[in-house]
Amino acid sequence: MYDLISRKALLEAAEHNVEFQEGIVDVYILESILAGMPAVDAAPAVHGEWIELHEENGHEVGTCSHCRHVRIVDNYCPNCGAKMDGGNDND
């Protein structure tokens, strides 16, 4: 699992702690800043697409390619949260 940090928090910390001299950053100071940054609570995005499309009671219904949940077609799967933008190859 990756550690994700806030870009805004990193930039704020760098402004207060990193001294820039002729475009050179002290790597040790930058490493200590990065090590002290709190991780954000995030999960990797899941991508999918609606497959096996058919019509039911006037609604387009499909199967989520990620979890196989059958549902009225939407921009995301309400069962697994997959973003319906073309499948898992779109990471």
Side-chain angles (χ1 to χ4, degrees), residues 50-90:
W50 294 112
I51 57 175
E52 302 171 6
L53 297 171
H54 63 278
E55 190 169 318
E56 234 176 72
N57 298 325
H59 298 286
E60 188 174 27
V61 176
T63 302
C64 173
S65 64
H66 184 72
C67 71
R68 302 295 187 210
H69 183 76
V70 177
R71 180 72 181 176
I72 294 175
V73 172
D74 202 348
N75 293 330
Y76 70 95
C77 174
N79 187 57
C80 69
K83 184 177 179 182
M84 296 304 176
D85 60 358
N88 289 324
D89 294 331
N90 290 348

Side-chain angles (χ1 to χ4, degrees), residues 21-44:
Q21 294 179 349
E22 298 177 21
I24 299 172
V25 176
D26 187 331
V27 174
Y28 298 107
I29 293 174
L30 188 56
E31 284 178 347
S32 68
I33 291 170
L34 287 171
M37 295 299 302
V40 296
D41 186 19

